[in-house]
Structures are given as C-alpha cells and as structure tokens.
Amino acid sequence: MVIKDLGPAVVSVWDGLRPITKKMLAGAMRSGSANTNNPGQKFSYDAHADWEVSRLLTALDEQSKSAATRKDSEKLDEIAQLAETCVRVLEAQSGSAEVFIQLAERALRKHDYNKLDQLSNRLFERFSAAEIAEVVRQTEMPQIRAIAYETLSMLPVPILVPLLDDPLYSDIGASSLEQKAYEYESEEARDALEQYFPDNDLQGD
C-alpha cells in the first residue's frame, strides 16, 4: 500500500502522525491484529494515539466517498483495508466517548448491527461511567444515546451515584438510576434517588 496514492487528505493526516503511531498501524495491518503490545516494539497506546488514529479514520472515510475514489476499485479496497485497521485498533484500545460515537455512527451508516452490538459490549466492559455519560451528552443520534443509557443502567449503583455530583452528568445519572429503580426494580437505586432528591416525588409514589 502506498499512502500517497490514497488522496491528499489522507496523506496530510498520515504525514502528521508520530512515527511510533505509523509503525503501530503498519504492524496491525500486517498482523491483522489490533494488539499494540508487540514484544519487539515499545509502544504505549495513549490519548494522542487515540486522536491520531481517529483523525486518520475520518480522512479515510471521507476519501472513500469521493467520486474519483469510487471509480477506482483498487484504491477503494486499500482505503477500506487501512480504515478497518484503524477501526480494530480503536475498538481494542480506545476508552473515549468521541471515538465510541465515531465508530457507532460508522456502524449505523453501514447498517452493521453486529458491529454495533460488539461496540455496546466494549462500552460496558471498558468505559468509565463518566465517559458513557459523555456519549449521551455528545451524540445527536437517538440509537447511540439509547445504547449508552442502557449500558449505564447495567452498572452498579455505587458507580452511578458520583454522576449526581457532577453538573455535566447529574441529569444523566438520575435518569439511569430511575431506570434501574423502576424498570429493574432496584431498591438500592431507589434509595440513592431518595437520598439525593428527598423533596422530589419519585415515579410510582
């Protein structure tokens, strides 16, 4: 694969990547794996790598939509191959709300509901309550918001309660606790709501 053949926007983003990120992506493409812990290469996935790979995926997806690219099946295949490498790395490594939204929107555009289910599982397994709440706060897509709310409702009450003290997430935390209290009949969630909102009438009273 020759990066310069994939379009000027892709080349611009690729040229701005750190050398270690380029090596990580090249290794992931060769191996077909998103494992960044190669014993022969010292690499620590960090927030900057997250941002770099996310930007590259955006550029690749935009380039794949161009009329010229769509007429060139070889170039389109190469763009798709590098894009899927970016997706594998982000799925395996990222804990960012922005990246989750990017990947979920991409899956919805492709009507890839199996991928959306996989992303939902990773949201539950890897993301903090605050990052999941940030997904709710940032996304404009009701499907993604519903996934995030459903994930929050599955978290233990002690993990959700701190959201009530954060002005950014207090409403989201309260909604998640209400879902646990009334849809899942959690007395613990109900007690937490009554403690934080003693003057409010709760659903079902």
Side-chain angles (χ1 to χ4, degrees):
M1 179 181 296
V2 181
I3 295 296
K4 68 180 179 63
D5 294 337
L6 302 186
V10 175
V11 171
S12 176
V13 175
W14 180 267
D15 286 347
L17 299 181
R18 294 173 299 176
I20 193 69
T21 304
K22 293 178 182 178
K23 289 180 182 177
M24 181 267 293
L25 286 170
M29 181 171 287
R30 282 194 303 270
S31 68
S33 167
N35 180 19
T36 63
N37 298 315
N38 187 332
Q41 174 180 310
K42 294 181 179 179
F43 184 86
S44 177
Y45 193 89
D46 56 18
H48 195 86
D50 211 42
W51 176 77
E52 288 181 313
V53 179
S54 173
R55 283 189 70 227
L56 181 59
L57 178 59
T58 297
L60 289 162
D61 282 346
E62 286 300 316
Q63 186 64 43
S64 71
K65 296 175 188 175
S66 77
T69 299
R70 300 202 70 81
K71 293 176 183 176
D72 187 335
S73 60
E74 183 177 352
K75 180 186 288 188
L76 194 60
D77 286 346
E78 290 183 341
I79 287 174
Q81 183 182 358
L82 183 52
E84 285 307 309
T85 299
C86 292
V87 168
R88 287 200 307 272
V89 170
L90 291 170
E91 286 179 347
Q93 302 293 336
S94 182
S96 158
E98 293 85 353
V99 169
F100 177 84
I101 292 168
Q102 177 184 17
L103 296 177
E105 288 178 346
R106 194 173 189 272
L108 285 168
R109 285 197 303 271
K110 293 175 175 290
H111 305 290
D112 189 344
Y113 300 108
N114 287 332
K115 176 71 72 179
L116 203 59
D117 286 342
Q118 293 169 12
L119 289 169
S120 301
N121 292 336
R122 289 188 176 96
L123 191 67
F124 177 75
E125 293 165 0
R126 183 184 308 125
F127 284 63
S128 69
E131 281 296 329
I132 301 171
E134 189 65 21
V135 172
V136 174
R137 200 174 75 88
Q138 288 195 29
T139 188
E140 297 179 356
M141 300 191 72
Q143 303 98 315
I144 299 174
R145 187 176 292 112
I147 289 169
Y149 264 125
E150 185 64 26
T151 304
L152 285 170
S153 74
M154 293 188 292
L155 297 179
V157 170
I159 292 178
L160 292 174
V161 165
L163 295 177
L164 300 175
D165 292 321
D166 190 321
L168 280 177
Y169 307 131
S170 58
D171 289 346
I172 297 169
S175 295
S176 300
L177 285 166
E178 286 178 1
Q179 185 174 1
K180 286 185 78 71
Y182 302 111
E183 291 185 27
Y184 300 108
E185 300 182 348
S186 167
E187 288 296 329
E188 187 181 10
R190 188 181 179 91
D191 290 344
L193 287 168
E194 289 176 346
Q195 179 181 347
Y196 270 80
F197 308 108
D199 298 328
N200 289 353
D201 289 332
L202 294 174
Q203 180 179 328
D205 284 353

